[in-house]
């Protein structure tokens, strides 16, 4: 025991121990003081901020409040709450909205806060994508979506969610929603494009401009398909590229040869094309293709006449809905030709007997779009 108190080495370590102990006590005290001081500063700041938002008890503003603080308080008092959108979420009801283009056509829908709130109310998270696709289908007759849109272009539109029972009973293959009216103001062309859906007597609903002229051109006198619902896509209207025209139609609708010629092949690359036909036009370098068929009524090497039924439309291959894809090439894999420019086309107008009803419908829809 005496050794522990007299040995020099032990004394040395004992001194070091006590020095270290005292140093740690001092360091701990500094840390505690710093933390408490920091909390006190935060409390003072919060008290100052609270006092700056209200008059002092003696009726005067506290000295901590600045001119900026006063301006901020006034703005807070006068700011209006976000406008609540009243939406009738019952299927079939008309819903009106709008979008303004900032960078491109599709982002105008996806970045729209109003549409986001409508989508939430409807329980339809992909509403913006569906709307942009449907509105785009209508505008392709007047503008090229990838080239002609400009910042500030405004789109007003009316749409409705199609009730399930209605989808089951209608014969025009309605999607989850349908566009009832569109107004597009183009800065590039300095004009407003107005399009309305209207059902004339003894006809399915079609889209018309405000003057009663039908939106879509009609291939005549020998179209590839006669009884179709809508042209949903044209040449080059979507990325990466689209090389033909898509006619939305029920499966089994008759498909006709648009030229005199010879069937060069059928049913190639069926994974993508589905059942299909290719015809080489007599005396020309043009080749005509009919894709996504449900039925093929001709064979390779067979001669066909213009207007002859050659197939039935379908939904085969890489197809997401029943339609006929109709395509023209110079040679088997050559330059793509726009069918609307190759064939003769006509425009169709509403008959005079429908004009008054159509005019009244326009007034109703224009009022909604305000």
């Amino acid at each position: 025991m005496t050794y522990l108190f007299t040995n020099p080495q032990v004394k040395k370590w004992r001194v070091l121990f006590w020095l270290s102990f005292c140093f740690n006590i001092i360091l701990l005290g500094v840390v505690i003081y710093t933390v408490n001081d920091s909390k006190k500063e935060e409390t003072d700041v919060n008290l100052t901020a609270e006092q700056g938002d209200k008059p002092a008890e003696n009726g005067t503003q506290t000295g901590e409040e600045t001119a900026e603080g006063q301006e901020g308080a006034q703005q807070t008092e006068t700011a209006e709450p976000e406008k609540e959108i009243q939406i009738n979420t019952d299927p079939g009801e008309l819903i009106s909205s709008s979008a303004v283009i900032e960078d491109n056509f599709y982002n105008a829908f996806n970045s729209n806060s109003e549409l986001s709130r409508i989508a939430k109310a409807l329980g339809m998270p992909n509403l913006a994508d569906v709307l942009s696709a449907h509105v785009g289908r209508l505008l392709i007759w007047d503008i090229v979506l990838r080239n002609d849109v400009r910042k500030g272009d405004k789109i007003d539109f009316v749409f409705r969610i199609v009730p399930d029972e209605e989808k089951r009973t209608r014969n025009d293959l309605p999607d989850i929603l349908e566009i009832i009216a569109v107004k597009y103001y183009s800065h590039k062309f300095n004009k407003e494009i107005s399009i309305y859906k209207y059902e004339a007597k003894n006809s399915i609903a079609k889209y018309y401009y405000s003057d009663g002229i039908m939106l879509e051109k009609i291939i005549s006198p020998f179209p590839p398909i006669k009884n179709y619902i809508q042209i949903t896509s044209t040449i080059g209207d979507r990325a990466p590229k689209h090389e033909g025209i898509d006619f939305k139609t029920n499966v089994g609708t008759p498909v006709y040869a648009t030229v005199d010629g010879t069937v060069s092949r059928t049913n190639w690359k069926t994974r993508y094309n589905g059942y299909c036909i290719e015809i080489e036009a007599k005396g020309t370098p043009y080749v005509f293709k009919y894709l996504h068929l449900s039925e093929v009524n001709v064979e390779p090497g067979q001669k066909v006449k213009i207007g002859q039924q050659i197939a039935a439309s379908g939904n085969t291959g890489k197809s997401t809905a029943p339609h006929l894809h109709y395509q023209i090439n110079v040679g088997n894999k050559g330059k793509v030709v726009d069918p609307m420019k190759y064939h003769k086309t006509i425009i169709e107008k509403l008959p005079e007997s429908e004009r008054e009803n159509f005019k009244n419908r326009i007034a109703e829809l224009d009022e909604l779009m305000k």
Side-chain angles (χ1 to χ4, degrees), residues 40-272:
K40 183 176 181 300
E41 288 181 2
E42 290 181 5
T43 302
D44 291 342
V45 170
N46 291 335
L47 287 173
T48 301
E50 291 175 2
Q51 292 170 351
D53 289 337
K54 62 183 180 180
E57 290 183 357
N58 61 4
T60 61
Q61 296 290 333
T62 63
E64 297 292 329
E65 184 174 0
T66 64
E68 290 181 357
Q70 293 175 353
E71 183 179 351
Q74 292 174 358
Q75 290 177 351
T76 302
E77 291 174 1
T78 58
E80 295 182 1
E82 186 179 68
K83 181 181 178 182
E84 183 179 351
I85 299 177
Q86 299 297 327
I87 305 167
N88 190 335
T89 57
D90 295 336
E93 294 297 322
L94 298 183
I95 301 172
S96 176
S97 188
S98 63
V100 178
I101 292 176
E102 293 295 332
D103 45 18
N104 68 59
F105 178 81
Y106 296 100
N107 282 349
F109 292 82
N110 284 292
S111 61
N112 188 301
S113 58
E114 179 179 283
L115 283 180
S116 297
R117 295 195 294 274
I118 294 175
K120 184 177 180 180
L122 294 173
M124 189 176 173
N126 65 335
L127 176 65
D129 291 330
V130 177
L131 278 173
S132 62
H134 280 259
V135 173
R137 287 179 185 177
L138 301 179
L139 294 174
I140 57 176
W141 297 98
D142 293 275
I143 61 174
V144 179
L145 298 179
R146 288 179 290 176
N147 301 328
D148 293 338
V149 298
R150 296 290 183 268
K151 183 176 181 180
D153 285 4
K154 188 170 185 287
I155 316 162
D156 297 305
F157 51 92
V158 177
F159 70 97
R160 65 189 289 267
I161 305 299
V162 182
D164 290 338
E165 180 62 26
E166 189 175 320
K167 282 190 284 189
R168 287 191 291 268
T169 56
R170 275 171 54 172
N171 62 358
D172 60 345
L173 303 177
D175 293 326
I176 189 171
L177 64 76
E178 61 182 343
I179 304 298
I180 306 302
V182 172
K183 279 182 178 288
Y184 184 97
Y185 180 76
S186 168
H187 281 82
K188 178 177 180 179
F189 300 111
N190 191 29
K191 70 174 183 178
E192 185 174 75
I193 303 162
S194 300
I195 302 167
Y196 305 89
K197 191 169 191 177
Y198 180 76
E199 185 174 349
K201 188 177 180 180
N202 300 322
S203 174
I204 64 171
K206 298 277 188 178
Y207 289 97
Y208 300 88
Y209 295 111
S210 56
D211 59 2
I213 294 177
M214 196 168 80
L215 177 68
E216 299 174 0
K217 296 177 182 177
I218 300 173
I219 295 175
S220 181
F222 299 106
I225 189 168
K226 298 175 183 177
N227 299 316
Y228 63 91
I229 297 163
Q230 183 186 0
I231 293 177
T232 56
S233 189
T234 58
I235 293 289
D237 67 352
R238 64 179 186 232
K241 63 180 178 178
H242 189 241
E243 297 184 336
I245 292 180
D246 288 346
F247 295 88
K248 178 181 179 181
T249 187
N250 288 286
V251 172
T253 304
V255 175
Y256 304 94
T258 50
V259 291
D260 293 334
T262 304
V263 177
S264 50
R265 56 178 173 168
T266 61
N267 301 336
W268 72 99
K269 295 184 179 179
T270 53
R271 180 181 176 186
Y272 297 95

Side-chain angles (χ1 to χ4, degrees), residues 334-347:
K335 178 183 176 182
V336 174
V337 178
D338 187 345
M340 289 298 181
K341 294 179 180 178
Y342 178 88
H343 293 293
K344 291 180 180 179
T345 60
I346 60 172
I347 59 172

